[in-house]
């Protein structure tokens, strides 16, 4: 694809949106059609579509106030402002071939047919020529399976992720060396582990696949992203960050790697650097699904009013998405509003209501409200995600043996994790066992690793008394000093100004 003779690299969603507009021209395209053909889902918010059109216009050099290519049709959506002609190598293309061609384009394959966006009505005006070439060759069975799997993964739902993994395993049964299938499987396994009901085996397999891909193609940005993601899932934050950094150094437009690195930096307490990467990710024109909620979390840590705007954006752009709902609920719990947290979690639909992160937070809400029986049930159903909360609850209820066994087992693996939250969980168990000195020591270790969420510590149903102690007040003061230093750095940075305005 070219503009004024210069090659353009449109993100997949932007290119799919352009193709949808071209196919419909001169008729406008509404929200339902965009949702179906671009996002492959039933509903996408108007704001999400508007943001994608803004990015597309920017790539085309189009001015929304005086559009040459894409115009807004009030009440109907968007439409091409210019005439559209199609130059094909073949005289006729059947409906099935046409669908095949669009599939090839969306999959970014090399094509022998050119789609040309010709000059607008004013032929004297300068105009970019957009071209995408393709060979009308049928996709292989493996490529079709990978394409379908990726469409499932884009839905970010538990059952769809499982189906995607099944499709990718089927693809690899046919061709064990297929690079794209292995890359997609690595991401899918980590997604299942971190977002839904995955296992440590998923994490180990994902890491092994990613390392094998890097060995084959050391300069592949996405392979390095997959490795960072797999390491993240295992709590190995100090190892994941260099992998993400390598990914976006290889491809500065890899918004996923930028945003993932930002998340890791946030965990490590480097809030300014995290926000800087989020800004760079958004400037790349292909933002991560979790960008808005991560920015909201960063703004909340420095107590900036823009946090509320970013929380609203995150929910609007990702309605019903498990990670977003979970973090929004945690935000309400930090502020002591368990009813609002519960209302957010109830927005999860279908199988996602059983996502481990959803169940775990519902369990903590039940502890806060005093319904320990319900809390136990939620933690047990959350599986590995709820193990540490369950141990803290057991200690609270006097089941010392079970709690001590769980704590001893996890302490044995302490050196393998650089995730600060792991130590906070262990501190909660220790506090409920009456081991306050150990609890305080673990919280201090978490702070050394980057923990800055003082409100979570103060609102914890398991750490309340420890945080009210003299040592707890010293911990709070230390975190506040760290946050104030980051706050000053962030507010003084002119390059971060777009974040403050929401």
């Amino acid at each position: 694809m070219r503009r004024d003779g210069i090659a353009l690299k449109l993100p997949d969603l932007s290119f799919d949106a352009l193709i949808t507009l071209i196919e419909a021209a001169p008729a406008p395209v509404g929200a339902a059609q965009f949702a179906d053909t671009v996002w492959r889902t039933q509903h996408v918010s108007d704001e999400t579509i508007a943001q994608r059109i803004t990015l597309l216009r920017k790539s085309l050099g189009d001015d929304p106030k005086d559009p040459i290519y894409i115009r807004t049709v009030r009440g109907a959506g968007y439409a091409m402002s210019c005439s559209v002609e199609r130059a094909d190598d073949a005289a006729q293309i059947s409906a099935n071939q046409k669908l095949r061609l669009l599939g090839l384009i969306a999959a970014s394959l090399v094509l022998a047919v050119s789609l040309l966006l010709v000059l607008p009505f004013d032929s004297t005006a300068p105009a970019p020529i957009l071209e995408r070439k393709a060979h009308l060759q049928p996709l292989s069975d493996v490529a079709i399976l990978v394409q379908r799997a990726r469409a499932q993964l884009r839905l970010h739902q538990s059952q769809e992720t499982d189906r995607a993994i099944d499709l990718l395993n089927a693809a690899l049964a046919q061709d064990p060396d297929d690079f794209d299938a292995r890359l997609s499987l690595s991401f899918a396994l980590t997604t299942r582990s971190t977002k839904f009901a995955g296992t440590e085996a998923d994490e180990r397999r994902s890491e092994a696949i990613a390392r094998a891909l890097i060995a084959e193609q050391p300069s592949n940005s996405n392979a390095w992203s997959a490795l960072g993601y797999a390491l993240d899932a295992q709590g190995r934050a100090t190892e994941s960050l260099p992998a993400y950094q390598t990914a976006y150094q290889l491809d500065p437009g890899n918004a996923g790697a930028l945003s993932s690195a930002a998340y890791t930096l946030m965990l490590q307490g480097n809030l300014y650097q995290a926000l800087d990467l989020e800004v760079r990710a958004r400037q790349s024109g292909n933002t991560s699904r979790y960008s808005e909620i991560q920015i909201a979390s960063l703004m909340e840590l420095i107590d900036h009013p823009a946090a509320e705007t970013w929380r609203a954006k995150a929910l609007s752009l990702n309605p019903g998405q498990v990670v977003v709902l979970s973090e929004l609920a945690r935000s309400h719990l930090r502020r002591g509003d368990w009813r609002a947290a519960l209302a957010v979690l109830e927005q999860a639909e279908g199988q996602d209501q059983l996502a481990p992160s959803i169940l775990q937070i519902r369990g903590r809400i039940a502890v806060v409200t005093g319904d320990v029986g319900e809390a136990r049930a939620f933690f047990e159903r959350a599986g590995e995600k709820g193990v540490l909360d369950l141990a803290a609850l057991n200690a609270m209820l006097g089941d010392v043996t079970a709690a001590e066994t769980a704590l001893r087992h996890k302490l044995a693996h302490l050196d393998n994790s650089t995730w600060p939250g792991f130590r906070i969980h262990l501190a909660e168990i220790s506090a409920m066992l009456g081991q306050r000195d150990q609890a305080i020591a673990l919280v201090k270790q978490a702070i050394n690793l980057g923990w800055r969420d003082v409100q979570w510590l103060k609102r914890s149903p398991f750490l309340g008394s420890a945080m009210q102690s003299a040592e707890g007040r010293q911990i709070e003061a230390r975190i506040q000093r760290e946050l104030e230093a980051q706050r000053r750095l962030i507010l003084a940075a002119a390059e971060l100004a777009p974040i403050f305005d929401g």
Side-chain angles (χ1 to χ4, degrees):
M1 178 171 291
R2 298 181 184 278
R3 171 185 164 200
D4 293 336
I6 299 173
L8 296 179
K9 290 180 64 177
L10 287 183
D12 286 348
L13 289 178
S14 294
F15 190 78
D16 287 352
L18 176 59
I19 294 302
T20 299
L21 288 165
I22 290 174
E23 287 298 304
V29 178
Q33 187 174 350
F34 274 124
D36 181 53
T37 60
V38 179
W39 283 269
R40 277 82 168 175
T41 188
Q42 293 183 344
H43 173 74
V44 174
S45 69
D46 291 341
E47 185 176 354
T48 298
I49 296 171
Q51 183 183 49
R52 182 53 51 184
I53 294 297
T54 297
L55 293 172
L56 179 55
R57 281 170 167 161
K58 183 177 180 181
S59 297
L60 301 180
D62 206 10
D63 183 354
K65 296 180 180 178
D66 185 21
I68 297 174
Y69 302 107
I70 302 173
R71 61 191 173 92
T72 301
V73 183
R74 187 177 299 276
Y78 302 91
M80 300 303 299
S81 294
C82 53
S83 61
V84 174
E85 296 178 2
R86 188 181 305 279
D88 298 323
D89 287 341
Q92 298 291 330
I93 297 181
S94 69
N96 287 338
Q97 288 174 321
K98 183 177 178 182
L99 291 173
R100 173 76 68 178
L101 174 59
L102 290 178
L104 289 168
I105 292 169
S108 301
L109 298 179
V110 183
L111 304 178
V113 177
S114 295
L115 286 175
L116 299 180
L117 186 62
V118 299
L119 293 175
F121 297 122
D122 178 7
S123 61
T124 62
I129 297 178
L130 308 176
E131 57 181 37
R132 189 87 167 206
K133 296 187 177 181
H135 294 301
L136 281 178
Q137 297 177 349
L139 290 174
S140 68
D141 290 344
V142 169
I144 290 172
L145 289 170
V146 172
Q147 194 177 76
R148 290 176 179 172
R150 287 176 174 173
Q152 301 282 64
L153 287 173
R154 280 197 292 267
L155 297 175
H156 283 258
Q157 296 173 350
S158 177
Q159 287 183 323
E160 305 307 326
T161 300
D162 287 340
R163 288 170 184 162
I165 291 172
D166 289 341
L167 288 169
L168 293 167
N169 282 326
L172 291 172
Q174 296 184 43
D175 184 356
D177 297 325
D178 188 89
F179 192 93
D180 288 341
R182 286 183 291 156
L183 179 64
S184 296
L185 181 59
S186 178
F187 279 110
L189 290 169
T190 306
T191 296
R192 181 164 70 180
S193 175
T194 56
K195 310 300 189 300
F196 306 114
T199 64
E200 292 181 4
D202 283 342
E203 297 165 5
R204 290 193 296 270
R205 186 183 178 196
S206 176
E207 180 186 352
I209 292 171
R211 291 192 183 280
L213 295 173
I214 289 170
E216 294 174 22
Q217 296 186 19
S219 61
N220 189 294
S221 173
N222 288 326
W224 282 100
S225 288
L227 177 60
Y229 194 23
L231 293 171
D232 245 349
Q234 300 173 60
R236 296 156 62 183
T238 54
E239 295 176 72
S240 68
L241 183 57
Y244 289 136
Q245 289 171 329
T246 301
Y248 65 71
Q249 286 166 2
L250 289 169
D251 178 8
N254 188 335
L258 285 162
S259 196
S260 294
Y263 175 72
T264 304
L265 287 166
M266 178 173 67
L267 291 182
Q268 296 177 346
N270 297 318
L271 310 187
Y272 163 75
Q273 293 181 53
L275 277 173
D276 182 57
L277 288 188
E278 287 290 4
V279 169
R280 288 168 58 183
R282 299 184 75 79
Q283 289 173 342
S284 76
N286 190 23
T287 58
S288 161
R289 177 180 290 267
Y290 306 121
S291 176
E292 290 80 17
I293 196 61
Q294 288 180 188
I295 293 173
S297 297
L298 286 159
M299 291 287 96
E300 186 172 336
L301 285 173
I302 64 169
D303 196 26
H304 195 285
E308 187 60 39
T309 300
W310 286 103
R311 281 193 290 265
K313 277 190 176 184
L315 189 59
S316 173
L317 294 173
N318 302 281
Q321 212 286 318
V322 168
V323 173
V324 172
L325 295 180
S326 298
E327 188 49 47
L328 288 174
R330 288 171 65 89
S331 174
H332 287 301
L333 286 181
R334 289 185 191 101
R335 290 172 283 167
D337 192 345
W338 64 265
R339 290 182 178 83
L342 190 59
V344 166
L345 295 180
E346 288 173 348
Q347 296 179 39
E349 299 180 354
Q351 196 70 16
D352 286 346
Q353 295 175 2
L354 303 178
S357 59
I358 299 286
L359 295 171
Q360 183 220 8
I361 298 174
R362 287 180 71 95
R364 292 185 74 96
I365 292 172
V367 175
V368 170
T369 60
D371 194 342
V372 295
E374 187 175 60
R376 178 184 294 279
F378 280 127
F379 291 147
E380 288 176 346
R381 293 173 70 189
E384 184 64 27
K385 193 82 171 178
V387 165
L388 297 177
D389 296 279
L390 181 59
L393 180 63
N394 284 333
M396 174 188 282
L397 299 177
D399 190 350
V400 174
T401 301
E404 287 182 338
T405 299
L407 180 61
R408 187 165 53 250
H409 172 70
K410 294 299 181 180
L411 284 172
H413 298 281
L414 192 62
D415 292 340
N416 297 329
S417 175
T418 52
W419 177 48
F422 181 50
R423 285 164 170 78
I424 299 300
H425 275 300
L426 298 185
E428 290 182 327
I429 302 171
S430 299
M432 288 294 94
L433 287 170
Q435 302 170 9
R436 178 175 292 181
D437 289 346
Q438 179 167 278
I440 293 295
L442 286 163
V443 173
K444 289 180 177 178
Q445 290 177 28
I447 296 171
N448 291 340
L449 289 171
W451 183 272
R452 298 294 180 263
D453 196 345
V454 66
Q455 294 303 323
W456 187 261
L457 299 179
K458 293 172 67 175
R459 297 287 185 181
S460 166
F462 306 118
L463 279 176
S465 60
M467 288 301 297
Q468 292 170 11
S469 68
E471 297 94 333
R473 290 193 293 273
Q474 290 175 2
I475 285 173
E476 180 180 355
R478 176 186 170 186
I479 296 176
Q480 293 292 7
R481 288 194 299 271
E482 298 281 358
L483 287 174
E484 182 58 29
Q486 289 288 317
R487 185 183 295 112
R488 290 179 179 177
L489 189 62
I490 290 168
L491 295 179
E495 64 272 19
L496 300 183
I499 296 292
F500 309 140
D501 297 333

